[in-house]
Amino acid sequence: MDDARYAMAGSDRIEQERTVISGWLSEPSTGECLACYVWRMLENGCRGLRWTARFREITAPRATVLEGRLGRMGAYCDCEIFCFAYEVDPLYFHIDELVDVAEQAVPLCMSVRSGSTKPCPLWRRVPRW
């Protein structure tokens, strides 16, 4: 009986540590822009504007129209940000003959001012027709 109680306490502690670590890993870095953050977080999947909302809550809580602005660009989920809102700037990414980003390590974010929801120079707006 005592062993079960200690096992439960140990598993609770491990779960708490896992939550702290996952929260820390999903924190935007100091000066990291929205696009670089979402690009990095998409390795964990896309479910709506979850990563965009997390970025806004942590770095720019006053940017209450961010999701609406992205929606007007055609981005209604995190992965669509890179289809309809922002694209890589070929000055910083290697582009293959099919105009796709070649397999490479993502360059470090070029940083933005605190509270900004705009992308750093690694990204440019997708041209509208």
Side-chain angles (χ1 to χ4, degrees), residues 6-98:
Y6 289 121
M8 179 65 85
S11 67
D12 289 344
R13 184 176 48 79
I14 290 169
E15 188 58 38
Q16 286 175 341
E17 289 175 2
R18 184 177 297 142
T19 301
V20 168
I21 290 170
S22 68
W24 175 74
L25 290 174
S26 67
E27 295 275 324
S29 302
T30 303
E32 186 174 29
C33 75
L34 171 68
C36 289
Y37 172 75
V38 172
W39 182 267
R40 181 169 59 90
M41 289 294 103
L42 281 175
E43 290 183 11
N44 300 307
C46 178
R47 285 185 260 149
L49 287 168
R50 172 179 145 195
W51 300 118
T52 298
R54 180 154 175 78
F55 179 87
R56 182 181 52 78
E57 289 168 3
I58 294 170
T59 64
R62 296 179 59 190
T64 57
V65 297
L66 174 60
E67 289 90 342
R69 187 180 74 203
L70 291 172
R72 286 188 298 280
M73 292 181 196
Y76 295 98
C77 70
D78 290 325
C79 62
E80 287 181 343
I81 289 173
F82 304 104
C83 297
F84 304 114
Y86 303 115
E87 64 185 5
V88 298
D89 190 323
L91 291 173
Y92 303 105
F93 287 82
H94 299 291
I95 307 296
D96 66 13
E97 60 275 353
L98 298 174

Side-chain angles (χ1 to χ4, degrees), residues 31 111-116:
S111 297
V112 294
R113 68 173 172 74
S114 178
S116 176

